[in-house]
Amino acid sequence: MPKQKILILDTTLRDGEQTPGVNLNLSEKLEIARLLEKLGADVIEAGFPAASQGDFDAVKAVAYTVKCGVAALARCVPGDIERAWEAVKHGEKPRLHVFIATSEIHMRHKLRMTRGQVLRSAVESVKLAKSFCGDVEFSCEDASRSDPAFLYEILAAVIDAGAGTVNIPDTVGYSMPGEFGALIRGIRENVHNIGKAVVSVHCHNDLGLAVANTISAIQNGAAQVETTINGLGERAGNCSMEELIMGITTRGDNFDITHGINTTRIYRTSVRTAHLTGVPISVNKAIVGANAFAHESGIHQHGVLANPMTYEIMTPDSVGKTESSLVLGKLSGRHAFADKLESMGYSLSQEVMGTAFVEFKSLADRKKTVTDEDLEAIVSHHLNSAPELYKLDAFQIQSGNRIHAMASVTLLHDDELLTEAAMGDGPIDAAYNAVIRIVGGDWPLVSYDIKAVTGGMDAQGEVTVRVRHGGQTHTGRGLSTDIIEASVLAYVNAINRGYDRR
Ligand code: KIV
Ligand code: ZN
């Protein structure tokens, strides 16, 4: 008998966007949606349209853009469901996803509703959603801490009301794998009409068990899993798509299922998502971390050279982490540059290609070889950039261990060059103070991260900053072989993005 295909609902754009500090703009969400579609996600949960106009617009744009399923989340509230439908209805495969909490603690303290009220609200909401949309998913929030008997009752009722998928979230990442698998088995054995619905799971990672719990659920009959790229999501995040998929792929002997994910696109999707969200991938992250396929000890290196399978249970190629043989340098022309980017999976507009090429040439003048990582970084900085209300023209720094740092910064704004100078606690603080003097307002720094794009003394520094403005967090990125320039570029980029959102 052919193996059944497990459905992947990716919620990077909804739960993943709830990662503290992540605030994606429309073009970034569209880029992630396209990556997810190419990766092979069956359904993309694109957002929560009732939450804000920005979420509504993003869900609508994603529904217009991709051909796979697009889900919009809604509470069991008529206004939410209507708004969610307005956002997804033009999609090729729209889905409405309604949820309500079913655990005693949530019902009593958050919803202030009785079991009967929750049950009626769930049924009415599923019926309303079904009157708009043929594909309705229902979630029992905090299912893993709910009374199983109540779960069986509410699930049977929403399936009768028209839910085609019933999702069982481990909302607070509390379950243990054996327990969660038993919960799924119990649902399959005790909900009389469960055969009419797809059983789905949605696991959070508070105890580091999201992938293990999802695997246990699959082994107990879950037919849809909800994941995010890089495990992004509320608090400690959600089940990481790349870890789950490579687990199922590498240890297929443990599963009766297949999946539709093109694993060779995993690495690219993960790296772009990290860039766009500003949440870096830790070096020891399974599958996509920089060390995931690195072998340090002599014994391991010897083993891998003799036979890679001694220490590699999967190949870097299988997740799309390939070593490039085509290296670019300062003599490379526009054609070689365009060919290279195409081979890396980028199809850029003429305009972006033009500006990226100029930046590549200037980098190639400073660096012997320009690596794939350098190119990724350059292209990332040109895609999805906010309109440049302010553009860095020049800066000068005076700094040392016995003097107060001083910076003078010139920004181009409305065809006018604006210059200010300021002191600070170090060169970057001084430069940021000068920038604030030019742009005005309050732009406090929430976080500052710097990393070298590649190894070596001539490596580019990539700075990611988060600033607070107008009650929101805005992420900015800057790239340069000069780390102070990268820092100022990142700060100005965050400010431009802050203005872009208002
Ligand atoms: O974690 C959760 O319970 C959720 C639901 C809304 C599906 O994200
Ligand atoms: Zn969640």
Side-chain angles (χ1 to χ4, degrees):
M1 217 170 65
K3 289 185 175 186
Q4 202 196 327
K5 179 185 158 201
I6 188 116
L7 297 172
I8 310 289
L9 180 148
D10 185 277
T11 184
T12 306
L13 293 177
R14 199 277 299 168
D15 217 319
E17 223 232 347
Q18 289 169 224
T19 305
V22 171
N23 191 358
L24 297 164
N25 66 25
L26 184 65
S27 72
E28 290 165 335
K29 286 185 184 173
L30 280 177
E31 189 185 340
I32 292 180
R34 288 194 194 97
L35 285 167
L36 290 170
E37 185 180 36
K38 284 191 187 145
L39 186 62
D42 298 285
V43 183
I44 296 173
E45 184 162 66
F48 186 178
S52 69
Q53 185 63 39
D55 250 41
F56 178 88
D57 294 341
V59 174
K60 193 166 171 178
V62 171
Y64 268 118
T65 305
V66 297
K67 296 204 175 343
C68 59
V70 176
L73 186 69
R75 290 169 300 180
C76 283
V77 172
D80 272 30
I81 297 167
E82 284 152 18
R83 192 94 177 118
W85 177 240
E86 274 306 303
V88 280
K89 69 181 179 191
H90 299 289
E92 217 151 281
K93 291 186 200 153
R95 171 178 290 191
L96 288 176
H97 178 186
V98 293
F99 75 99
I100 194 163
T102 49
S103 65
E104 286 305 322
I105 184 165
H106 276 237
M107 289 190 292
R108 188 170 313 152
H109 298 283
K110 186 182 80 177
L111 300 175
R112 294 176 193 279
M113 286 166 83
T114 62
R115 284 188 182 199
Q117 288 170 322
V118 166
L119 190 124
R120 276 191 295 281
S121 169
V123 168
E124 289 313 309
S125 301
V126 169
K127 281 186 181 159
L128 177 63
K130 192 76 182 179
S131 72
F132 295 131
C133 183
D135 185 358
V136 174
E137 171 169 338
F138 172 79
S139 283
C140 310
E141 192 188 7
D142 207 16
S144 54
R145 293 193 300 166
S146 303
D147 174 4
F150 182 49
L151 281 184
Y152 304 154
E153 188 184 353
I154 196 165
L155 291 175
V158 294
I159 293 170
D160 277 344
T165 301
V166 286
N167 183 39
I168 313 300
D170 183 22
T171 301
V172 288
Y174 181 72
S175 243
M176 291 285 137
E179 200 177 34
F180 197 62
L183 177 67
I184 301 306
R185 194 172 345 109
I187 287 169
R188 293 187 62 232
E189 285 169 359
N190 291 290
V191 177
H192 70 89
N193 51 1
I194 199 72
K196 293 189 189 154
V198 169
V199 177
S200 167
V201 293
H202 173 112
C203 296
H204 277 268
N205 204 32
D206 298 66
L207 293 173
L209 293 171
V211 174
N213 283 335
T214 304
I215 284 177
S216 175
I218 294 172
Q219 290 171 330
N220 283 282
Q224 174 181 285
V225 291
E226 304 199 350
T227 62
T228 57
I229 300 299
N230 298 339
L232 292 168
E234 277 278 2
R235 306 181 310 280
N238 289 62
C239 171
S240 136
M241 148 107 78
E242 54 283 358
E243 292 177 21
L244 177 75
I245 290 298
M246 290 318 288
I248 297 174
T249 308
T250 309
R251 297 304 313 276
D253 52 324
N254 280 255
F255 300 90
D256 259 347
I257 47 136
T258 59
H259 61 75
I261 296 297
N262 175 354
T263 64
T264 62
R265 291 200 59 93
I266 284 181
Y267 186 66
R268 162 169 325 288
T269 308
S270 160
V271 169
R272 284 298 297 150
T273 302
H275 257 108
L276 294 167
T277 55
V279 180
I281 305 166
S282 67
V283 290
N284 61 338
K285 166 95 168 63
I287 318 296
V288 289
N291 292 351
F293 295 95
H295 303 279
E296 178 75 17
S297 93
I299 296 175
H300 286 210
Q301 288 172 351
H302 173 73
V304 169
L305 287 175
N307 178 348
M309 296 302 277
T310 50
Y311 288 100
E312 270 181 11
I313 57 167
M314 57 201 155
T315 64
D317 282 1
S318 66
V319 298
K321 198 169 188 233
T322 43
E323 282 301 323
S324 171
S325 52
L326 185 60
V327 179
L328 295 183
K330 69 175 175 188
L331 297 177
S332 309
R334 198 178 278 265
H335 270 305
F337 180 70
D339 281 356
K340 175 77 190 175
L341 290 183
E342 208 181 302
S343 78
M344 290 170 68
Y346 289 109
S347 51
L348 304 182
S349 68
Q350 283 304 318
E351 194 194 339
V352 176
M353 183 69 82
T355 46
F357 183 67
V358 171
E359 196 165 318
F360 154 70
K361 277 299 206 187
S362 117
L363 178 66
D365 270 342
R366 283 171 282 152
K367 231 178 153 247
K368 231 172 47 214
T369 47
V370 177
T371 63
D372 285 8
E373 285 89 348
D374 287 320
L375 291 178
E376 291 267 6
I378 291 176
V379 172
S380 290
H381 284 264
H382 284 282
L383 289 170
N384 318 107
S385 52
E388 287 194 297
L389 193 62
Y390 292 95
K391 189 169 171 7
L392 176 64
D393 178 69
F395 70 92
Q396 251 186 9
I397 304 284
Q398 254 191 335
S399 174
N401 60 347
R402 288 171 194 267
I403 54 166
H404 267 301
M406 224 212 41
S408 148
V409 175
T410 302
L411 300 183
L412 180 67
H413 174 62
D414 279 347
D415 293 331
E416 209 187 325
L417 288 172
L418 308 169
T419 302
E420 284 288 348
M423 313 268 275
D425 200 2
I428 293 169
D429 188 46
Y432 285 9
N433 289 339
V435 169
I436 291 172
R437 284 195 173 184
I438 297 173
V439 304
D442 218 17
W443 299 90
L445 194 63
V446 180
S447 68
Y448 172 98
D449 285 294
I450 183 161
K451 76 171 175 87
V453 172
T454 51
M457 295 296 280
D458 58 357
Q460 298 192 90
E462 182 176 47
V463 172
T464 305
V465 297
R466 290 208 174 87
V467 298
R468 261 329 261 173
H469 187 73
Q472 282 195 311
T473 307
H474 307 283
T475 304
R477 289 177 283 267
L479 183 70
S480 170
T481 45
D482 176 332
I483 58 169
I484 298 184
E485 182 173 22
S487 304
V488 180
L489 287 169
Y491 196 55
V492 173
N493 181 237
I495 291 171
N496 283 330
R497 292 162 63 92
Y499 278 123
D500 190 34
R501 284 196 163 254
R502 298 186 328 174

